[in-house]
Amino acid sequence: MSEGRSAVGQVALVGLFVTALTTAQLTASKLLSIPLPSAVGELPFVGAAILMPGAALAYALTFFASDCYSELYGRRAAQIMVNVGFAMNFVLLGLVWSTIAAPAANPEFAAQFATVLSSGTNVVAGSLLAYLVSQNWDVIVFHGIRELTDGSFLWLRNIVSTATSQAIDTVIFVGVGFYVAPTVLGIGDPFEWNVLVGLAIGQYLLKLLIAIVDTPFVYGTVALLRGDDESSTDGWVAD
């Protein structure tokens, strides 16, 4: 990998990671309802629509960025990016909340601004804990599989690391944000168990689909930034 290409790749992937991460934090409190195709009908625990936080799509993109970064720049660099990203969450929240608390020229607009941008305390607690655990797990599993396969099977480590880390993320986020935090902090009402299970299963199915679909894009990104065709054959056939 050329020095110039490496520098551009690092900046681009870190930029993508941070952009997706901040977007996820700002959109986490909106609950989406995605209707299933009529051919699918209803799924057990899920019903006819998949419920998920608005952050699901943006957050899934962070795993794409971190897997590409892990492959190109190594485990230590990826873990630094993940943990610095965690710290930057508090910078984001501090800036948002300080802006909300500052005196406003238009109180009516300020109230709308606060409603849109201030995520609930429960959601923030769940998302931050889920992020810290799942992103570090993703990097560890990715490089564990890379070492076991001598650098082959990029598709395998991308899918397995993302699928397992997304499962951890989903369980922690849903469990803490919608049950543990409301119960412990007394802010809002905890969701019923059947709702929690449906919320977790629904969003995980979408995250798993994204993990599979983004694999060719991981190959393409790695090949582009590495500047050779090593990643184009890695893992699609046994070495």
Side-chain angles (χ1 to χ4, degrees):
M1 186 169 17
S2 69
E3 184 175 344
R5 191 180 300 239
S6 174
V8 170
Q10 282 189 296
V11 172
L13 288 174
V14 170
L16 176 62
F17 183 86
V18 172
T19 299
L21 182 60
T22 53
T23 301
Q25 188 63 265
L26 293 174
T27 57
S29 58
K30 180 177 180 178
L31 199 61
L32 307 180
S33 178
I34 311 298
L36 292 171
S38 56
V40 176
E42 296 188 4
L43 296 176
F45 298 104
V46 175
I50 295 177
L51 297 179
M52 69 187 70
L57 295 177
Y59 195 59
L61 193 57
T62 66
F63 288 92
F64 164 80
S66 64
D67 282 351
C68 290
Y69 201 85
S70 290
E71 177 67 16
L72 290 164
Y73 307 109
R75 173 175 172 173
R76 177 170 173 75
Q79 287 185 311
I80 290 174
M81 180 180 74
V82 165
N83 290 306
V84 169
F86 177 74
M88 291 302 102
N89 272 287
F90 293 97
V91 175
L92 168 68
L93 294 175
L95 291 172
V96 169
W97 286 336
S98 64
T99 302
I100 291 172
N106 186 331
E108 183 178 349
F109 176 77
Q112 297 174 346
F113 181 86
T115 300
V116 172
L117 287 183
S118 60
S119 298
T121 302
N122 299 336
V123 172
V124 170
S127 64
L128 288 178
L129 180 60
Y131 169 86
L132 183 63
V133 176
S134 64
Q135 287 284 0
N136 278 286
W137 173 266
D138 182 71
V139 173
I140 291 170
V141 172
F142 186 93
H143 282 278
I145 295 175
R146 195 177 198 279
E147 292 173 4
L148 288 175
T149 58
D150 294 324
S152 299
F153 305 107
L154 173 56
W155 64 269
L156 179 64
R157 55 185 177 270
N158 175 65
I159 292 175
V160 173
S161 64
T162 301
T164 56
S165 57
Q166 289 281 29
I168 293 171
D169 173 78
T170 299
V171 170
I172 294 176
F173 175 72
V174 172
V176 173
F178 299 99
Y179 185 80
V180 176
T183 300
V184 174
L185 301 177
I187 302 175
D189 297 320
F191 283 17
E192 298 292 335
W193 279 103
N194 61 322
V195 178
L196 291 171
V197 172
L199 184 60
I201 292 176
Q203 66 173 294
Y204 180 68
L205 289 176
L206 178 64
K207 290 176 179 179
L208 184 60
L209 176 63
I210 292 173
I212 296 172
V213 170
D214 80 358
T215 300
F217 296 97
V218 172
Y219 272 82
T221 301
V222 170
L224 176 66
L225 296 179
R226 183 175 279 159
D228 57 35
D229 61 357
E230 176 183 345
S231 60
S232 64
T233 58
D234 169 54
W236 291 110
V237 294
D239 291 347

